[in-house]
Amino acid sequence: MIEFRGVTFVHQNGVKALDGVSLRVEAGEFVALVGENGAGKTTLVKHVTGLLKPASGSVLVDGVDTKEASTAQLSRKVGVAFQNPDHQLFSETVEEEMSFALRNFGFSPELVRNRVTWGLELFGLEEYRKSSPLVLSGGEKKRLTLACILAWDPQVVILDEPTVGQDSIQKERLAGTIQMLKSAGKTVMVVSHDIEFLWPIQPRVVVMKGGRVVGDGPSADLMQDRDLLGSARVAQPQLVEFYQELHRRPGTPFVHALDAARWAEESLQP
Amino acid sequence: MMWLSGGFIFRKGYSFYHRLDPRAKLLNSALMFVTTLLARSIFEMVLVVAFMVGLSAAATVLKRVARTMAFTALFSGFIFVVNVLFTRDLETSVLYATRFVAIVVSTSIFFITTSPDELEQVMKMFRLPRDVVFAFVTAVRFIPVMMLDTIQIMDAQKSRGLELEKGNLVRRVRNMIPILIPLVVNSVVRSGELAEAMEARAYGAAPKPTSLLEYRARRVDIGVACASVVLFALAAYSFYFVIPVQFP
């Protein structure tokens, strides 16, 4: 579905943000990009919508080379919720804000109304329908930007730091939304530093460092590689640390980190 | 847009010109500015521009000055057309159009080699009110931040299907609304946050705050300032007494 072939990107100031990145993301996959600040995570996902074009190599989205397509064409397939919601909110009402992309894509008025109502209900924003998006709280703005993206039903959903400014309830709801997207067969890419948020959802984890992919695998396995994560300045999930600490002692009841996770889940249930 | 803006924004450099006392650079730029006004023929103007290009090369900012020239060429073209239409004098029109480019370049060299901190010190030396200096320097310092904001906002809106280059002039202007509103709102919010952060760090508490940077003119600074005055005097003398005037 999405394929990066030896992608290199150099910023105007000469800094090499991506250095020969090759990665293949299948349709319906859930991938988390983790790594230190400046590792190239956001730069990589910006290539998927054609906002950035590779200096060398190529990016294919559904077989289409992003160099050959405009951002408007690609964004019909790929929805990106950027890190700072204040960078996109401008309409008079939440309702108009949500319909902006739908109108750009030429949806019929009836479909626009239906999709707006669906999105507002899904993210608990119905009561703000006629309010200005600028007066919403940080968490509400974040949810609104996500609702705006999902409204046009893109095949690929990219979330850049979706948990920033979200309380624990909202994080749980967000995790639920991601599960829903997975069930609907959407390809989901999440850029995040929030390992505790990612761990329960168990994505495929791609670790980036200095513009390169240094690790790629299922989170259950990759999150146990303390050295790899440490080198990319990524913290291990607390449960994995707990499991590894237990594993060093004799008579540990767990064979795998996921056993510890299941045990913790069952123990914490009322 | 970022490419063009690079012609006006300070970036750290290590050439002799970057390291000069900001007062010497200001004097040099001011004298270059006045010299462009004194030039009365295309030949004289070419000499002034050639000097500026040479200085830019020595200060290792030639590429960025070229961007300034590219940016001002648009306005300069407008000046040329208007002058040709109203004066019907081709040479005068060329002179005015070139003078505009030279004026902008003379100030651009100062701004792209002088950090906001140095600018602040220069303004304080002229005993301008502290609040005015702070507002001006903050505005200069926030230009790159706003440029970055603009790019991120454009990225966000383009990802929602906005096509900035699509349609006629009216449509294109309307397409700018989703860019301008978040930019203005963010700037207002940021200025409020900055004011609070400044007050939280005792801004305005002392009637005469101390300064981290203090400038003392070195020999090279005095040398450059003197050389600037001498070159200016030579240019003024040549323009009025040596080089024959080709047209008024």
Side-chain angles (χ1 to χ4, degrees):
Chain A
M1 176 79 199
I2 303 169
E3 194 174 358
F4 300 89
R5 291 180 182 165
V7 175
T8 297
F9 181 79
V10 183
H11 284 297
Q12 262 187 10
N13 58 9
V15 173
K16 195 183 258 190
L18 296 176
D19 189 3
V21 172
S22 291
L23 189 70
R24 190 180 164 86
V25 180
E26 299 298 339
E29 228 182 334
F30 172 33
V31 177
L33 294 170
V34 300
E36 60 194 348
N37 290 334
K41 307 180 295 291
T42 301
T43 307
L44 188 72
V45 294
K46 277 188 175 180
H47 279 78
V48 183
T49 42
L51 287 167
L52 298 176
K53 311 283 185 191
S56 67
S58 58
V59 181
L60 303 177
V61 178
D62 219 3
V64 176
D65 191 328
T66 57
K67 279 182 183 167
E68 311 295 326
S70 70
T71 299
Q73 287 167 326
L74 290 164
S75 56
R76 183 66 189 86
K77 288 179 185 171
V78 184
V80 188
F82 287 96
Q83 194 171 342
N84 187 351
D86 290 326
H87 281 155
Q88 73 165 60
L89 304 177
F90 74 98
S91 300
E92 266 187 62
T93 64
V94 165
E95 186 179 47
E96 282 177 40
E97 187 68 49
M98 271 203 70
S99 67
F100 175 69
L102 304 173
R103 286 181 277 124
N104 284 333
F105 291 132
F107 283 42
S108 70
E110 195 189 347
L111 193 54
V112 171
R113 275 194 297 275
N114 289 343
R115 297 300 302 177
V116 167
T117 304
W118 172 83
L120 293 177
E121 283 174 359
L122 181 69
F123 287 93
L125 295 166
E126 184 60 45
E127 61 180 301
Y128 303 114
R129 182 185 273 264
K130 298 290 178 190
S131 309
S132 165
L134 304 176
V135 300
L136 300 181
S137 71
E140 287 161 349
K141 283 180 182 174
K142 198 91 179 172
R143 271 147 57 206
L144 176 59
T145 55
L146 192 52
C148 289
I149 302 305
L150 297 185
W152 78 81
D153 196 27
Q155 291 169 30
V156 180
V157 178
I158 296 174
L159 311 175
D160 194 353
E161 296 290 359
T163 57
V164 172
Q166 300 286 311
D167 59 31
S168 59
I169 302 286
Q170 293 307 332
K171 281 187 191 181
E172 270 182 37
R173 282 190 188 167
L174 183 63
T177 308
I178 291 173
Q179 296 285 14
M180 181 197 78
L181 292 170
K182 274 169 67 181
S183 314
K186 305 286 180 200
T187 308
V188 183
M189 289 178 83
V190 176
V191 175
S192 183
H193 287 102
D194 194 342
I195 296 299
E196 297 300 338
F197 167 74
L198 295 172
W199 169 253
I201 325 173
Q202 290 290 308
R204 168 184 163 195
V205 176
V206 173
V207 185
M208 292 191 71
K209 184 188 172 190
R212 290 167 179 265
V213 172
V214 292
D216 184 358
S219 55
D221 299 333
L222 207 133
M223 290 296 185
Q224 297 192 60
D225 194 337
R226 187 192 294 243
D227 294 338
L228 172 70
L229 295 179
S231 73
R233 296 188 186 179
V234 178
Q236 275 185 304
Q238 288 182 2
L239 251 168
V240 177
E241 277 190 274
F242 167 66
Y243 159 76
Q244 287 183 332
E245 192 58 41
L246 278 180
H247 209 69
R248 284 190 204 101
R249 298 158 189 241
T252 173
F254 308 121
V255 178
H256 194 273
L258 285 176
D259 297 333
R262 271 191 287 274
W263 172 82
E265 238 171 59
E266 284 163 13
S267 307
L268 290 171
Q269 269 176 5
Chain B
M1 195 164 58
M2 276 299 274
W3 184 84
L4 285 174
S5 68
F8 297 94
I9 297 168
F10 169 75
R11 262 192 228 140
K12 202 167 176 62
Y14 300 96
S15 72
F16 87 97
Y17 202 76
H18 282 88
R19 290 197 301 266
L20 277 181
D21 187 305
R23 289 168 292 185
K25 285 190 273 189
L26 182 65
L27 178 69
N28 182 259
S29 276
L31 292 177
M32 286 196 297
F33 183 99
V34 177
T35 313
T36 60
L37 300 178
L38 296 180
R40 294 179 301 170
S41 68
I42 294 173
F43 176 67
E44 290 168 2
M45 193 57 76
V46 167
L47 283 180
V48 176
V49 172
F51 175 77
M52 290 182 192
V53 168
L55 183 67
S56 309
T60 65
V61 290
L62 187 55
K63 272 188 186 173
R64 300 185 63 209
V65 168
R67 291 185 204 177
T68 309
M69 286 178 164
F71 181 70
T72 48
L74 298 168
F75 300 96
S76 152
F78 177 73
I79 291 168
F80 174 76
V81 171
V82 170
N83 271 285
V84 167
L85 288 175
F86 286 97
T87 66
R88 301 196 179 278
D89 184 340
L90 202 64
E91 285 192 84
T92 309
S93 305
V94 171
L95 177 68
Y96 287 170
T98 325
R99 177 173 287 157
F100 178 73
V101 174
I103 283 173
V104 177
V105 168
S106 66
T107 49
S108 164
I109 292 174
F110 174 71
F111 281 107
I112 61 182
T113 57
T114 308
S115 72
D117 285 335
E118 290 175 326
L119 200 60
E120 189 176 354
Q121 292 305 313
V122 170
M123 291 176 80
K124 278 183 187 169
M125 283 168 199
F126 287 109
R127 302 200 181 281
L128 289 170
R130 189 177 171 224
D131 289 343
V132 173
V133 173
F134 182 75
F136 181 77
V137 172
T138 307
V140 171
R141 195 171 276 145
F142 272 85
I143 290 171
V145 179
M146 284 188 69
M147 297 302 297
L148 199 64
D149 262 5
T150 310
I151 289 173
Q152 288 175 338
I153 292 165
M154 284 170 76
D155 282 355
Q157 305 300 26
K158 283 198 293 194
S159 299
R160 297 164 80 198
L162 179 68
E163 291 179 275
L164 290 167
E165 296 84 16
K166 200 176 176 182
N168 56 25
L169 188 65
V170 177
R171 173 98 188 266
R172 285 181 187 213
V173 172
R174 283 187 63 186
N175 283 348
M176 292 307 288
I177 293 172
I179 310 293
L180 292 176
I181 292 178
L183 189 64
V184 172
V185 171
N186 281 353
S187 304
V188 171
V189 171
R190 183 176 285 131
S191 64
E193 287 172 351
L194 180 67
E196 285 175 1
M198 296 298 296
E199 281 181 19
R201 288 184 288 165
Y203 179 81
K208 200 177 177 188
T210 51
S211 179
L212 178 67
L213 300 170
E214 277 186 17
Y215 289 100
R216 281 187 190 160
R218 298 163 301 159
R219 279 183 188 172
V220 65
D221 301 318
I222 296 165
V224 168
C226 291
S228 302
V229 173
V230 170
L231 281 171
F232 169 72
L234 271 174
Y237 178 79
S238 309
F239 291 171
Y240 283 86
F241 299 106
V242 180
I243 302 170
V245 178
Q246 290 162 357
F247 62 93

